[in-house]
Amino acid sequence: MRAVIRFALATAVVLAGAACSGDGPKAQAQPGQAVVSPSPSPEPPPEHPFTGLPASTLRPVLAVKIENTPAGKPQMGLRSADIVYVQQVEGGLTRLMAIFSSKLPAQVGPVRSARISDLYLLPMFGKPALAYSGVQTKMIPYVQRAPLYDVSDSAAPDAYRRMPGRVAPYNLFASPRKLLARAPQASKAKDIGFVFSDKPPPGGTERRSVTVRYPSARFTFTWSERQKRWLISQDGAKNMAAEGGQQGAPTIVIQWVKTTRSEFHDVNGAYTPLLHTVGKGTGIVLRDGKAYRVRWSRASKEEGTVYTLADGTPMPFARGQVWIVLASRKPVVP
């Protein structure tokens, strides 16, 4: 009997050693025995297609036309925009079109009139909502046919208010939440060609500041190592936000586009520039204190814009807000 017991104990020890050995087969679950598997690594949340920041859900897109002359500053709500377009308008001045989706400010403005170039940019977002105040009479049919939801001050008056202490027409502000409530079917954010990365690509040229000139406006983008943003100045003055602080973004795209005279003009007879954002061209992307030469391409109004480096690889943007400065090497003379 003792020999049988010794044999059974020896067998148990051998089996236990085999089960614990790293070289042997993995232990199999026995009836009534639980096997604990290592928990998988958590999946990172998806990136927002406009900013590269984490986004659990994608929300509708709202575009807002915003005044960009000294009379309309400081602007409100721009710091919450995902994308800000700078566009040339009559007289060689500029106007902004801010794209909101990932977050909405309480108020945005001053809201101003739309332009024909907007109708070439907006289709890449699907059918977004467009907030604006007025449009040239001749252009009304173009807006009505465009793939967008009209949430102008005439279509959604309850979403707008006049700001005390400001002079008309630079005192019209809007509530983005009320605007989108009037366009519940507006397209949600989707891929428009942007690529993001925490690390900048190799190469590039170190730059402390870069200046872009329009016929009647001048923008300077200055890198702030402390804030990790390009701070924006216009016409020699810091571009301050109504909420406080200087406007700026981690990525600035200077996109050279062909600029011609459109069939429209303002009440003074000045022609409205048409910015050709469909096609191909060159540009400069500013991020992390460096300037990168890029090429851009956009096959149609419905497609997004792709930015590539000299070797054909996508130019990765820094995560966060993106400013796209649509400028011409040969500006149209006002």
Side-chain angles (χ1 to χ4, degrees), residues 1-27:
M1 177 64 70
R2 289 179 180 177
V4 172
I5 293 173
R6 284 198 297 273
F7 176 79
L9 290 173
T11 303
V13 170
V14 170
L15 291 175
C20 295
S21 172
D23 298 329
K26 294 181 179 179

Side-chain angles (χ1 to χ4, degrees), residues 211-213 254-258 276 280-284 293 296 325-329:
T211 296
V212 178
R213 289 177 171 82
I254 302 168
Q255 184 174 336
W256 303 117
V257 297
K258 182 180 179 181
H276 296 264
K280 297 180 179 180
T282 59
I284 298 171
R293 295 186 180 276
W296 64 268
V325 183
L326 300 172
S328 175
R329 293 184 183 275

Side-chain angles (χ1 to χ4, degrees), residues 189-267:
K190 64 183 182 69
D191 180 15
I192 57 168
F194 292 1
V195 174
F196 295 90
S197 174
D198 294 324
K199 295 182 179 180
T205 303
E206 290 191 10
R207 297 293 296 269
R208 182 179 178 275
S209 66
V210 176
T211 296
V212 178
R213 289 177 171 82
Y214 290 87
S216 302
R218 183 178 80 255
F219 287 81
T220 298
F221 306 98
T222 303
W223 174 247
S224 169
E225 183 65 29
R226 183 178 65 84
Q227 298 186 33
K228 301 298 181 184
R229 298 190 306 151
W230 294 89
L231 302 180
I232 301 171
S233 297
Q234 186 176 342
D235 302 325
K238 293 181 179 180
N239 195 356
M240 306 303 291
E243 301 89 337
Q246 190 172 356
Q247 305 281 10
T251 302
I252 306 292
V253 180
I254 302 168
Q255 184 174 336
W256 303 117
V257 297
K258 182 180 179 181
T259 305
T260 60
R261 289 183 174 184
S262 73
E263 61 183 287
F264 306 100
H265 57 79
D266 64 13
V267 294

Side-chain angles (χ1 to χ4, degrees), residues 75-214:
Q75 298 131 327
M76 185 177 293
L78 273 183
R79 300 189 71 166
S80 297
D82 295 329
I83 308 168
V84 179
Y85 287 95
V86 181
Q87 306 162 294
Q88 183 181 334
V89 293
E90 300 82 9
L93 298 170
T94 60
R95 188 156 291 178
L96 307 181
M97 182 167 70
I99 305 296
F100 299 90
S101 182
S102 65
K103 55 184 177 180
L104 299 176
Q107 297 286 327
V108 62
V111 180
R112 295 301 307 276
S113 53
R115 293 294 186 275
I116 187 63
S117 294
D118 304 333
L119 306 187
Y120 284 82
L121 282 171
L122 290 173
M124 80 169 79
F125 298 99
K127 192 175 181 180
L130 174 63
Y132 64 97
S133 175
V135 68
Q136 297 172 25
T137 303
K138 187 178 178 181
M139 210 181 103
I140 292 176
Y142 291 81
V143 175
Q144 293 173 336
R145 293 194 299 266
L148 57 84
Y149 289 95
D150 186 337
V151 289
S152 61
D153 58 338
S154 58
D158 59 318
Y160 294 80
R161 73 184 185 96
R162 296 287 176 179
M163 186 74 71
R166 298 212 185 197
V167 179
Y170 312 107
N171 62 349
L172 185 64
F173 288 74
S175 163
R177 286 178 174 78
K178 290 182 178 180
L179 292 170
L180 284 175
R182 296 293 296 269
Q185 300 303 314
S187 296
K188 295 182 179 180
K190 64 183 182 69
D191 180 15
I192 57 168
F194 292 1
V195 174
F196 295 90
S197 174
D198 294 324
K199 295 182 179 180
T205 303
E206 290 191 10
R207 297 293 296 269
R208 182 179 178 275
S209 66
V210 176
T211 296
V212 178
R213 289 177 171 82
Y214 290 87

